[in-house]
Amino acid sequence: MALDSKIPEGPLADKWTNHKNKINLVNPANKRNIDVIVVGTGLAGGSAAATLAELGYNVKAFCFQDSPRRAHSIAAQGGINAAKNYQGDGDSTYRLFYDTVKGGDYRSREANVYRLAEVSTNIIDQCVAQGVPFAREYGGLLDNRSFGGVLVSRTFYAAGQTGQQLLLGAYSAMNRQIGRGKIKMYNRHEMLDVVIVDGKARGIIARDLVSGKIERHSAHAVVLGTGGYGNVFYLSTNAMGSNVTAAWKAHKRGAFFANPCYTQIHPTCIPVSGDHQSKLTLMSESLRNDGRIWVPKNMEDAEAIRAGKLKPTKIAEEDRDYYLERRYPAFGNLVPRDVASRAAKERCDAGYGVNATGEAVYLDFADAFMRYGREQALVKGLDVNDDVLVKKLGQEVVRTKYGNLFQMYEKIVDENPYETPMMIYPAVHYTMGGVWVDYNLMTTIPGCYAIGEANFSDHGANRLGASALMQGLADGYFVLPYTIGDYLADDIRTGPIPTDTKEFDEAEKSVRDNIDHLINNKGKHPVDYFHKRLGKIMWNKCGMSRNAEDLKSAIDEIAELRAEFWKDVMIPGSADEYNEELAKAGRVADFLELGELFAKDALQREESAGGHFREEYQTPEGEAKRRKEFQYVSAWEYKGEPKDAVLHKEELVYENIEVKERSYK
């Protein structure tokens, strides 16, 4: 089959407006006769469910958490981008579009990204109207700060808990519709399959995680807003429950997967401390606004720090290597995430890491304390030469901006970041790959949509900071509610979708057989035993540094591990009760399949992109080849019609090309 991205004709700036003017609509009287299932109630799913219900559709919303308020979107700390140009520093819709595409190594779909930039300003107005407590300047206007990869301040924020506050806004909008009876909420339910009837997505099979009951739910369309799959690496900044199951089940039913190997490596995470850890903790990228990243210049100093014989505060300024400021003076510490991550790994691999494992660099706020402190001293008429007073005043300013992040760091690391520089290191965070969608956000299964992090379209090989919340809310509030009508307009006379059909029978039987196998397996090892092993394969061979030999061996190792999992996994308890180990086993089974596709994708991409670099390119000849490729891509400069980057073999699905084979069988 050939993929049709359905990108509208005409100039980029006019595509979305023209598209909205021409697509089919469902009138209000007919919307009440149409059912829509929304799986996932984070920012993308929650905003979509609330908006679709507000429009008049009957919505069934599903989440595996005990409440939509527990969605992983709450973990987003730093902010949300929007091209409002409140700072008057040159921002614009085009600038946000350009930064996003450039930050993604020119591997995003340009038409989708321009639309994202275009609707970004509406998001802020929507959320302010909902009561989201964005930070404000002295005069009462909304404040902005900078994030990596850009030269303007466009990030709106609510202290260090922006995601939580935005989710509360979407959750409130959902609750209003639940109260009106337009949303039927299914908490503690997990989607385990999508049901295809006459080639269209017409429902899902879900498991009640409390009772273990298998349920059938039908609808005229299914929307997946289920987030990313970073937990395929086991250690990531994702919530422990974050998984790929819903997206993967759709993939196995015919929805193509795009760019699975593009993984966000976030540069500001608390470093790994040992094998006892089950997840990693993200420190917001916003900290790079004021924190300076460095390692010792001298190897002996780095060795002394690792041995516990030297404190970082004792290293003189001239003996510190502020390597990002040295290498990238225009952006300094605010380079894109992939650049900062690769640079930190390079310094640590060279032996300059500063924790016991040698895998950490410093994020230091000493200069910010003094800079802010002097400003406050001048404002208050105090002695600017009193360093103790100045430092204290500056710390109060930083505490106001980032206090909860500093508190979180101290609780986890047991070091006071106001007195000792933070330690950070790159870790798996966001996944740019996901289910392939067209311009309307529909997958290759008619009637099945993917929004937010679950789809692939907007971020290319690397997502800029503060763009995850932007995409999730753009898709849910302002894109899907328009585009889904174009499909549902043909269903106004269809009537309710029955669940007593052979398609639902077959899908439920498949789910039950899978659960029965797991629960009756009587193996020797718990689920985490296999998940940890998968994570080590993924990080060591499919992580930041990749080469063909390791990727080939990873494919074989994952296949062997998957076979061992199905033979030897041990699930205690029964299927007809609350059984978190059973739920976890199903998710890890899907990770084991995704992991193989991930490695195959990475092997086919004979390029360095985003946070990943192929070791074959780390030679003068390889780097010259890579630079030539990037010159070719960046020469487009988006004049006239956009072109999508295809710097890999055609077996990997992209835009309007013939699909030769599905990568995973």
mmCIF file of all heavy atoms in Angstrom, residues 62-67 185-190 207-211 578 580 587:
data_model
loop_
_atom_site.group_PDB
_atom_site.id
_atom_site.type_symbol
_atom_site.label_atom_id
_atom_site.label_comp_id
_atom_site.label_asym_id
_atom_site.label_seq_id
_atom_site.Cartn_x
_atom_site.Cartn_y
_atom_site.Cartn_z
ATOM 1 N N PHE A 62 -11.130 6.174 28.740
ATOM 2 C CA PHE A 62 -10.499 5.080 29.477
ATOM 3 C C PHE A 62 -9.120 5.497 29.969
ATOM 4 O O PHE A 62 -8.345 6.119 29.225
ATOM 5 C CB PHE A 62 -10.341 3.851 28.568
ATOM 6 C CG PHE A 62 -11.633 3.232 28.142
ATOM 7 C CD1 PHE A 62 -12.379 3.778 27.107
ATOM 8 C CD2 PHE A 62 -12.114 2.100 28.780
ATOM 9 C CE1 PHE A 62 -13.585 3.216 26.709
ATOM 10 C CE2 PHE A 62 -13.320 1.529 28.388
ATOM 11 C CZ PHE A 62 -14.050 2.088 27.357
ATOM 12 N N CYS A 63 -8.819 5.153 31.210
ATOM 13 C CA CYS A 63 -7.445 5.309 31.708
ATOM 14 C C CYS A 63 -7.133 4.167 32.657
ATOM 15 O O CYS A 63 -8.026 3.649 33.332
ATOM 16 C CB CYS A 63 -7.239 6.662 32.403
ATOM 17 S SG CYS A 63 -8.075 6.865 33.975
ATOM 18 N N PHE A 64 -5.872 3.756 32.706
ATOM 19 C CA PHE A 64 -5.516 2.659 33.605
ATOM 20 C C PHE A 64 -5.199 3.155 35.015
ATOM 21 O O PHE A 64 -5.043 2.362 35.939
ATOM 22 C CB PHE A 64 -4.356 1.817 33.041
ATOM 23 C CG PHE A 64 -3.053 2.539 32.884
ATOM 24 C CD1 PHE A 64 -2.242 2.810 33.977
ATOM 25 C CD2 PHE A 64 -2.601 2.938 31.632
ATOM 26 C CE1 PHE A 64 -1.033 3.467 33.834
ATOM 27 C CE2 PHE A 64 -1.396 3.590 31.477
ATOM 28 C CZ PHE A 64 -0.606 3.854 32.584
ATOM 29 N N GLN A 65 -5.096 4.486 35.190
ATOM 30 C CA GLN A 65 -4.877 5.037 36.519
ATOM 31 C C GLN A 65 -6.192 5.074 37.303
ATOM 32 O O GLN A 65 -7.270 4.881 36.747
ATOM 33 C CB GLN A 65 -4.298 6.453 36.428
ATOM 34 C CG GLN A 65 -2.960 6.538 35.733
ATOM 35 C CD GLN A 65 -3.084 6.839 34.255
ATOM 36 O OE1 GLN A 65 -4.146 6.711 33.670
ATOM 37 N NE2 GLN A 65 -1.980 7.240 33.639
ATOM 38 N N ASP A 66 -6.087 5.364 38.604
ATOM 39 C CA ASP A 66 -7.308 5.459 39.401
ATOM 40 C C ASP A 66 -8.057 6.754 39.133
ATOM 41 O O ASP A 66 -9.218 6.899 39.515
ATOM 42 C CB ASP A 66 -7.012 5.309 40.900
ATOM 43 C CG ASP A 66 -5.949 6.270 41.395
ATOM 44 O OD1 ASP A 66 -5.435 7.056 40.579
ATOM 45 O OD2 ASP A 66 -5.619 6.237 42.594
ATOM 46 N N SER A 67 -7.412 7.711 38.471
ATOM 47 C CA SER A 67 -8.045 8.969 38.113
ATOM 48 C C SER A 67 -7.284 9.589 36.951
ATOM 49 O O SER A 67 -6.061 9.433 36.865
ATOM 50 C CB SER A 67 -8.029 9.932 39.310
ATOM 51 O OG SER A 67 -8.313 11.260 38.897
ATOM 52 N N MET A 185 -16.834 7.748 32.091
ATOM 53 C CA MET A 185 -15.434 7.567 32.471
ATOM 54 C C MET A 185 -15.193 6.151 32.983
ATOM 55 O O MET A 185 -15.925 5.660 33.850
ATOM 56 C CB MET A 185 -15.081 8.595 33.557
ATOM 57 C CG MET A 185 -13.607 8.646 33.906
ATOM 58 S SD MET A 185 -12.604 9.287 32.567
ATOM 59 C CE MET A 185 -11.280 8.078 32.537
ATOM 60 N N TYR A 186 -14.161 5.519 32.438
ATOM 61 C CA TYR A 186 -13.771 4.181 32.866
ATOM 62 C C TYR A 186 -12.361 4.251 33.453
ATOM 63 O O TYR A 186 -11.361 4.137 32.731
ATOM 64 C CB TYR A 186 -13.800 3.195 31.687
ATOM 65 C CG TYR A 186 -15.180 2.933 31.135
ATOM 66 C CD1 TYR A 186 -15.726 3.757 30.152
ATOM 67 C CD2 TYR A 186 -15.947 1.866 31.596
ATOM 68 C CE1 TYR A 186 -16.992 3.522 29.636
ATOM 69 C CE2 TYR A 186 -17.215 1.620 31.087
ATOM 70 C CZ TYR A 186 -17.733 2.452 30.105
ATOM 71 O OH TYR A 186 -18.982 2.210 29.607
ATOM 72 N N ASN A 187 -12.281 4.465 34.761
ATOM 73 C CA ASN A 187 -10.985 4.434 35.437
ATOM 74 C C ASN A 187 -10.547 2.993 35.646
ATOM 75 O O ASN A 187 -11.361 2.071 35.657
ATOM 76 C CB ASN A 187 -11.074 5.131 36.801
ATOM 77 C CG ASN A 187 -11.456 6.594 36.686
ATOM 78 O OD1 ASN A 187 -11.180 7.231 35.672
ATOM 79 N ND2 ASN A 187 -12.096 7.122 37.717
ATOM 80 N N ARG A 188 -9.256 2.804 35.848
ATOM 81 C CA ARG A 188 -8.686 1.472 36.122
ATOM 82 C C ARG A 188 -9.103 0.459 35.054
ATOM 83 O O ARG A 188 -9.394 -0.697 35.345
ATOM 84 C CB ARG A 188 -9.090 0.980 37.518
ATOM 85 C CG ARG A 188 -8.708 1.910 38.655
ATOM 86 C CD ARG A 188 -7.217 2.112 38.758
ATOM 87 N NE ARG A 188 -6.530 0.928 39.227
ATOM 88 C CZ ARG A 188 -5.208 0.724 39.124
ATOM 89 N NH1 ARG A 188 -4.458 1.625 38.533
ATOM 90 N NH2 ARG A 188 -4.659 -0.364 39.585
ATOM 91 N N HIS A 189 -9.134 0.902 33.809
ATOM 92 C CA HIS A 189 -9.399 0.027 32.678
ATOM 93 C C HIS A 189 -8.227 0.138 31.692
ATOM 94 O O HIS A 189 -7.756 1.243 31.422
ATOM 95 C CB HIS A 189 -10.688 0.427 31.953
ATOM 96 C CG HIS A 189 -11.941 -0.070 32.610
ATOM 97 N ND1 HIS A 189 -12.374 0.397 33.836
ATOM 98 C CD2 HIS A 189 -12.868 -1.002 32.214
ATOM 99 C CE1 HIS A 189 -13.499 -0.214 34.158
ATOM 100 N NE2 HIS A 189 -13.824 -1.063 33.196
ATOM 101 N N GLU A 190 -7.807 -0.985 31.157
ATOM 102 C CA GLU A 190 -6.703 -0.981 30.205
ATOM 103 C C GLU A 190 -7.154 -1.563 28.873
ATOM 104 O O GLU A 190 -7.712 -2.660 28.820
ATOM 105 C CB GLU A 190 -5.517 -1.784 30.742
ATOM 106 C CG GLU A 190 -4.309 -1.742 29.827
ATOM 107 C CD GLU A 190 -3.037 -2.245 30.491
ATOM 108 O OE1 GLU A 190 -3.141 -3.089 31.400
ATOM 109 O OE2 GLU A 190 -1.954 -1.782 30.113
ATOM 110 N N ARG A 207 -9.758 -4.397 29.859
ATOM 111 C CA ARG A 207 -9.794 -5.193 31.090
ATOM 112 C C ARG A 207 -9.962 -4.268 32.281
ATOM 113 O O ARG A 207 -9.225 -3.285 32.425
ATOM 114 C CB ARG A 207 -8.506 -6.012 31.245
ATOM 115 C CG ARG A 207 -8.460 -6.856 32.520
ATOM 116 C CD ARG A 207 -7.265 -7.800 32.522
ATOM 117 N NE ARG A 207 -7.222 -8.587 33.746
ATOM 118 C CZ ARG A 207 -6.521 -8.264 34.830
ATOM 119 N NH1 ARG A 207 -5.775 -7.157 34.829
ATOM 120 N NH2 ARG A 207 -6.545 -9.020 35.913
ATOM 121 N N ASP A 208 -10.954 -4.570 33.102
ATOM 122 C CA ASP A 208 -11.127 -3.870 34.373
ATOM 123 C C ASP A 208 -10.003 -4.336 35.291
ATOM 124 O O ASP A 208 -9.972 -5.501 35.704
ATOM 125 C CB ASP A 208 -12.499 -4.205 34.964
ATOM 126 C CG ASP A 208 -12.787 -3.457 36.256
ATOM 127 O OD1 ASP A 208 -11.826 -3.144 36.992
ATOM 128 O OD2 ASP A 208 -13.973 -3.197 36.547
ATOM 129 N N LEU A 209 -9.080 -3.452 35.602
ATOM 130 C CA LEU A 209 -7.890 -3.850 36.353
ATOM 131 C C LEU A 209 -8.203 -4.196 37.803
ATOM 132 O O LEU A 209 -7.389 -4.839 38.480
ATOM 133 C CB LEU A 209 -6.844 -2.731 36.303
ATOM 134 C CG LEU A 209 -6.251 -2.449 34.923
ATOM 135 C CD1 LEU A 209 -5.319 -1.244 34.972
ATOM 136 C CD2 LEU A 209 -5.509 -3.667 34.386
ATOM 137 N N VAL A 210 -9.355 -3.802 38.304
ATOM 138 C CA VAL A 210 -9.724 -4.113 39.692
ATOM 139 C C VAL A 210 -10.366 -5.487 39.792
ATOM 140 O O VAL A 210 -9.991 -6.310 40.639
ATOM 141 C CB VAL A 210 -10.672 -3.034 40.258
ATOM 142 C CG1 VAL A 210 -11.112 -3.405 41.678
ATOM 143 C CG2 VAL A 210 -9.996 -1.678 40.258
ATOM 144 N N SER A 211 -11.314 -5.761 38.911
ATOM 145 C CA SER A 211 -12.028 -7.041 38.974
ATOM 146 C C SER A 211 -11.460 -8.102 38.045
ATOM 147 O O SER A 211 -11.733 -9.297 38.220
ATOM 148 C CB SER A 211 -13.506 -6.824 38.633
ATOM 149 O OG SER A 211 -13.643 -6.464 37.263
ATOM 150 N N TYR A 578 -7.684 -8.112 41.108
ATOM 151 C CA TYR A 578 -6.653 -7.097 40.920
ATOM 152 C C TYR A 578 -5.296 -7.791 40.913
ATOM 153 O O TYR A 578 -4.900 -8.435 41.884
ATOM 154 C CB TYR A 578 -6.709 -6.069 42.053
ATOM 155 C CG TYR A 578 -5.603 -5.037 41.978
ATOM 156 C CD1 TYR A 578 -5.677 -3.996 41.058
ATOM 157 C CD2 TYR A 578 -4.490 -5.114 42.801
ATOM 158 C CE1 TYR A 578 -4.669 -3.053 40.969
ATOM 159 C CE2 TYR A 578 -3.472 -4.171 42.719
ATOM 160 C CZ TYR A 578 -3.566 -3.153 41.817
ATOM 161 O OH TYR A 578 -2.556 -2.219 41.720
ATOM 162 N N GLU A 580 -1.611 -6.680 39.566
ATOM 163 C CA GLU A 580 -0.732 -5.731 38.895
ATOM 164 C C GLU A 580 0.397 -6.437 38.159
ATOM 165 O O GLU A 580 0.872 -5.959 37.129
ATOM 166 C CB GLU A 580 -0.167 -4.737 39.904
ATOM 167 C CG GLU A 580 0.623 -3.590 39.298
ATOM 168 C CD GLU A 580 -0.190 -2.753 38.312
ATOM 169 O OE1 GLU A 580 -1.424 -2.677 38.469
ATOM 170 O OE2 GLU A 580 0.402 -2.190 37.378
ATOM 171 N N ARG A 587 2.204 -5.651 29.424
ATOM 172 C CA ARG A 587 2.908 -4.473 28.904
ATOM 173 C C ARG A 587 4.330 -4.818 28.498
ATOM 174 O O ARG A 587 4.821 -4.364 27.451
ATOM 175 C CB ARG A 587 2.903 -3.370 29.972
ATOM 176 C CG ARG A 587 1.514 -2.885 30.329
ATOM 177 C CD ARG A 587 1.478 -2.084 31.619
ATOM 178 N NE ARG A 587 0.106 -1.882 32.068
ATOM 179 C CZ ARG A 587 -0.224 -1.452 33.286
ATOM 180 N NH1 ARG A 587 0.725 -1.186 34.178
ATOM 181 N NH2 ARG A 587 -1.492 -1.296 33.615
#
